[in-house]
Amino acid sequence: MAQANVIAKVSSLTGEAYARDSAGNLRRLKAGDVIREGDTVVSGNGAQVVLTMADGRNMVVSEREAVKVDAEVAAQEKPDASDSAVARTSGGFDQLASALTEGGDLDALLEAPAAGEIAAGNEGHSFVEFLRVVESVSGQSYGYATERGAPEDTLQAAVLPAEEPIVLTIGDADVAEGQALVFDVAFSTTSANPVEL
């Protein structure tokens, strides 16, 4: 089996990084190694790989990233909005919007190869494969209290019933001048709180 074309070279490397070929074989990278079409460059924790493409551009693969280097990534001309199938057809957007609103068949608007017609004997798959989806996932962070059996900040208390108003009755008193005057004071009910006169 012929080897794939060389489309990049490792110009600098810090940390550990690997190249995975289409068969899943890993090889550890070092400065000066070549990257062939279809290889996936995988960088480890704290690693950074700088690839020099065939046209002289540099591409950086940061830590914990995996980038599949294929002909599209290495291409000198990148696709833009003018390459859209909708933009290339006259009234393409109008046809597409009309088909969506009227419940029409979208496959009827596409050219035969794009609609998924496969010639007899073709061993291709019938699904779309995304080759350049990169998703970085950061570690989970959890916080736990370090104290065990710490007292709660809130207090639970029952609501006390409202007290009845207290009625005071002061009796009459007669006394001769110069003697102490004593009044009898009676409460209509008892109270758990102090009563001020």
Side-chain angles (χ1 to χ4, degrees):
M1 183 168 115
Q3 286 189 328
N5 295 332
V6 174
I7 58 175
K9 187 176 185 179
V10 178
S11 59
S12 70
L13 169 70
T14 56
E16 289 186 14
Y18 300 89
R20 183 175 54 232
D21 62 18
S22 58
N25 301 317
L26 282 176
R27 68 180 189 280
R28 189 171 181 170
L29 291 175
K30 61 185 181 308
D33 283 352
V34 295
I35 304 297
R36 299 190 177 276
E37 184 177 350
D39 284 353
T40 301
V41 176
V42 181
S43 61
N45 288 337
Q48 182 180 23
V49 183
V50 178
L51 302 175
T52 302
M53 310 309 274
D55 62 358
R57 289 178 297 126
N58 285 338
M59 183 172 85
V60 177
V61 180
S62 299
E63 67 172 321
R64 295 186 309 231
E65 285 186 345
V67 177
K68 184 168 186 175
V69 184
D70 57 11
E72 289 181 12
V73 172
Q76 293 182 14
E77 293 183 28
K78 300 296 181 198
D80 61 11
S82 65
D83 294 328
S84 169
V86 174
R88 283 185 283 155
T89 60
S90 59
F93 180 76
D94 294 334
Q95 291 175 346
L96 182 63
S98 175
L100 288 172
T101 56
E102 296 171 7
D105 183 15
L106 294 178
D107 289 339
L109 298 176
L110 301 175
E111 298 171 8
E117 291 181 10
I118 299 174
N122 189 344
E123 298 298 322
H125 50 73
S126 62
F127 58 89
V128 176
E129 181 180 3
F130 291 100
L131 299 178
R132 289 188 288 156
V133 174
V134 177
E135 179 182 351
S136 64
V137 179
S138 60
Q140 296 291 329
S141 175
Y142 298 99
Y144 297 101
T146 57
E147 296 180 24
R148 302 233 182 228
E152 293 184 6
D153 292 337
T154 58
L155 298 174
Q156 301 293 329
V159 177
L160 297 175
E163 291 186 1
E164 293 180 28
I166 299 174
V167 178
L168 299 176
T169 307
I170 301 174
D172 290 337
D174 288 329
V175 69
E177 189 174 332
Q179 293 184 346
L181 180 63
V182 178
F183 292 97
D184 290 329
V185 178
F187 295 94
S188 61
T189 181
T190 59
S191 173
N193 299 319
V195 178
E196 186 175 319
L197 298 178

